[in-house]
Amino acid sequence: MSTSEAAAGDFDTCFRDLFPRVARTAALVSRDPDLGPDIAQEAFARLYDRWDRIESVEHARNFAFRVAVNLARSHLRRRLAVPFGLRGPDRPQADATASSDAWLVVVHALGVLSPRQRACVVLVDYADLDAATAGAALGMAEATVRVHLMRGRRALRAKLSTTDQEVEP
Amino acid sequence: MTADPALKDRLTRAADLVPVDVGAHLGHLYGDRRARVVRQRIGVFALTAVVALLAAAIIWRLLPLGTANVPVGPAAPSGTLAVMRGTLTGSDGVEFAAVAYPVEPGGAPRTLARTAGLPVWSPDGSKLAYVVGPNHHVDLIVADADGAHARRIATDLPTFGFAWSPDGGSIAVRTLTDHGARVSLIVVGTGDVQDLPAFDGDWWNLAWSPDGTRFAFAGPAGLWAQDLDGSHRQTLVSDLHVVNPEWSPDGSVLAFGCRPPDDASDYRYDICTVHADGRGFVRFADWAGWDAVPVWSPDGSWLAFASDRGATPAQVAQNPGGARLEGVTIYLMRPDGSDVRRMVPASDRYELVPTDWRA
């Protein structure tokens, strides 16, 4: 077995361990259930390209999350830059997910957060990264992550609480 | 700082609904690698050639299109455009504003709304409607024509554009049901909603004819028109991906953006026109880039549209796959495709997309 094949074997394990969480993180940040796996696919393709320079599982994890979150935020920018169907919808809605109350409520609530707050909350409260690691992924200081996290959590709790009260009989 | 348990639970329950097929994605990744390497190598050579060719072409093309060469006199266009101006805001993306741009050279732009997309004046010019929010989740706002006294008349619409009724009393929007898209009319004065019967076909944009009797629908398979009650469906254009149709002021012609349906890059669009009876289709394909969102002058003698034909070679090279379309600005032309002229120079700080034109 060559070195690259051995690395590919390790890559397989890494992929299977991390891919679902990275894909769902990207889905939450972009608020698009179809897009999350596509973004994760691209993030892992880039990870594969530099696999021989990856030093540890933590290194691979941080790289994948960093690329995925940046791509998700770039997607937001693209959607904003060519908005409102000027080129037609870029992809169909995922009916099963899009019609689920649990998804709709959370995605609607995430919409009140700024893109940075949303990325911080999803990385820490969903993906289980600590503030320092999330900061490295987002290109922010740890203290900045904590500020965005605090404000994002406050806004998210308030929005979810309001929504929960609205749907109670 | 560790995860908040309550929020983690809510986020996890939502995220778990996102279907992820790990095996399929892993297989796709390995299968894609070889093709990707080949594409990258070809791309380096192709990009160099394209940039050189485009630089020569753009220099040749821009020289006669400068504002100094715009003729004046009776044929000159006039009036005011409603424009969607997208401005970079650092890492947080692009913000859109509604801005009024005088068509005559030298006029100063005036901001109508600082956060707004698709600004369109009512037919009598007394009101301005626009949307705010991300795609699929927009709120519809109506204000005075100068942007004052804005009020929200509908929220969380999955709309891709909207259309004023000819009398200005209501606005038609695209809404969704379990069976597909339908048209809903929102009464401007009250915000009341009236759902029309479902229209067959996959569509995302609609336009309301000036005489009030017909809708034109644009979608992935073409353009068609129907009476408001769903009757008298007539295919106007087929086998093209069509966006942003607009009726001419006399209702005789529709202008729209189009591209082949199988163009996965979703980049190159052309301005097209077709008569309301489906005859006389014309595609203005003189620019191999993004020409879209045509709007008619009030007298029907000009079309304004958005294009990246004035972008720098570097912008043109990145636009097909880039994170955003750069170098987009406003151009004018006659409805027969002649007399193309740039109205506003392209900027590296913002993009300009015309969305309405009034006298």
Side-chain angles (χ1 to χ4, degrees):
Chain A
M1 181 179 287
S2 69
T3 305
S4 61
E5 284 172 332
D10 294 334
F11 179 83
D12 274 12
T13 303
C14 173
F15 188 99
R16 294 181 188 283
D17 287 347
L18 281 177
F19 187 84
R21 198 153 50 106
V22 174
R24 287 169 175 140
T25 296
L28 288 169
V29 172
S30 66
R31 300 167 64 210
D32 186 331
D34 273 353
L35 194 67
D38 289 351
I39 286 176
Q41 176 91 22
E42 175 62 23
F44 276 88
R46 297 184 189 184
L47 178 65
Y48 183 81
D49 285 343
R50 63 185 64 213
W51 189 246
D52 58 350
R53 285 172 276 166
I54 296 297
E55 299 166 353
S56 65
V57 173
E58 290 73 24
H59 188 188
R61 180 196 64 188
N62 293 348
F63 180 88
F65 275 114
R66 180 170 69 247
V67 173
V69 170
N70 284 335
L71 287 173
R73 296 170 73 197
S74 294
H75 171 71
L76 289 176
R77 288 196 284 275
R78 180 175 187 132
R79 288 204 307 183
L80 289 168
V82 189
F84 313 124
L86 294 184
R87 297 196 289 192
D90 48 2
R91 59 183 62 235
Q93 296 285 288
D95 289 338
T97 311
S99 61
S100 160
D101 286 346
W103 171 263
L104 290 174
V105 167
V106 167
V107 162
H108 185 62
L110 285 170
V112 304
L113 277 60
S114 72
R116 289 180 180 184
Q117 289 171 353
R118 186 157 64 242
C120 291
V121 168
V122 172
L123 282 178
V124 174
D125 286 333
Y126 170 70
D128 274 337
L129 301 190
D130 58 37
T133 308
L138 296 169
M140 296 179 192
E142 181 179 346
T144 306
V145 171
R146 290 177 184 277
V147 171
H148 285 305
L149 193 58
M150 181 183 67
R151 292 174 180 167
R153 282 173 170 172
R154 185 189 306 147
L156 186 59
R157 284 191 199 102
K159 187 64 181 177
L160 288 172
S161 172
T162 303
T163 307
D164 290 344
Q165 289 170 9
E166 286 174 352
V167 299
E168 281 175 3
Chain B
M1 186 175 280
T2 57
D4 177 299
L7 290 180
K8 180 176 178 58
D9 178 60
R10 294 296 292 267
L11 292 168
T12 301
R13 277 192 284 147
D16 283 348
L17 292 166
V18 176
V20 179
D21 186 339
V22 176
H25 279 282
L26 185 58
H28 185 264
L29 184 148
Y30 284 137
D32 190 46
R33 300 317 297 156
R34 179 166 295 176
R36 185 173 175 138
V37 169
V38 172
R39 281 201 306 272
Q40 284 174 344
R41 289 176 179 168
I42 293 174
V44 170
F45 292 109
L47 186 62
T48 306
V50 167
V51 167
L53 284 172
L54 288 177
I58 286 173
I59 290 169
W60 176 81
R61 187 175 285 278
L62 283 184
L63 285 176
L65 291 177
T67 51
N69 295 314
V70 173
V72 294
S78 62
T80 304
L81 287 175
V83 172
M84 188 164 64
R85 183 175 68 193
T87 306
L88 283 174
T89 59
S91 60
D92 282 339
V94 179
E95 283 185 352
F96 286 93
V99 183
Y101 267 80
V103 176
E104 293 90 341
R110 186 166 46 85
T111 300
L112 302 172
R114 294 193 179 281
T115 302
L118 298 177
V120 181
W121 284 297
S122 58
D124 68 358
S126 66
K127 299 289 183 187
L128 177 76
Y130 55 88
V131 297
V132 299
N135 281 352
H136 311 295
H137 302 283
V138 299
D139 296 346
L140 183 61
I141 311 293
V142 170
D144 294 346
D146 62 359
H149 304 110
R151 60 192 176 84
R152 186 174 270 95
I153 66 168
T155 60
D156 205 17
L157 297 169
T159 192
F160 303 101
F162 55 85
W164 281 94
S165 64
D167 66 3
S170 59
I171 294 175
V173 299
R174 174 183 182 271
T175 54
L176 291 176
T177 71
D178 292 340
H179 307 293
R182 72 178 172 204
V183 178
S184 297
L185 303 183
I186 300 171
V187 179
V188 174
T190 63
D192 292 343
V193 178
Q194 176 193 355
D195 295 326
L196 298 185
F199 291 85
D200 292 335
D202 188 6
W203 60 274
W204 41 60
N205 297 137
L206 80 166
W208 203 326
S209 66
D211 66 5
T213 62
R214 305 271 280 169
F215 285 132
F217 296 98
L223 175 73
W224 72 90
Q226 275 178 280
D227 288 353
L228 270 56
D229 63 3
S231 65
H232 298 104
R233 175 178 170 136
Q234 181 182 18
T235 299
L236 305 178
V237 175
S238 57
D239 300 326
L240 281 175
H241 176 108
V242 175
V243 292
N244 305 109
E246 182 162 300
W247 298 83
S248 62
D250 66 2
S252 65
V253 180
L254 284 129
F256 48 94
C258 72
R259 69 160 171 78
D262 55 354
D263 178 5
S265 74
D266 198 30
Y267 166 61
R268 177 174 176 172
Y269 280 78
D270 295 316
I271 301 298
C272 304
T273 59
V274 67
H275 288 282
D277 60 5
R279 291 182 295 180
F281 170 76
V282 180
R283 182 175 180 181
F284 303 110
D286 61 317
W287 168 243
W290 196 69
D291 284 348
V293 202
V295 295
W296 292 90
S297 65
D299 65 359
S301 63
W302 291 91
L303 283 169
F305 61 100
S307 176
D308 67 350
R309 60 179 63 203
T312 65
Q315 289 172 328
V316 170
Q318 77 83 37
N319 273 350
R324 47 187 283 267
L325 282 172
E326 297 182 0
V328 172
T329 190
I330 306 164
Y331 285 77
L332 308 176
M333 71 176 189
R334 295 290 192 177
D336 65 1
S338 66
D339 205 0
V340 179
R341 57 181 70 176
R342 189 184 64 201
M343 195 186 101
V344 183
S347 168
D348 59 0
R349 293 184 294 113
Y350 51 77
E351 281 76 51
L352 301 175
V353 176
T355 50
D356 196 15
W357 191 335
R358 70 173 185 177

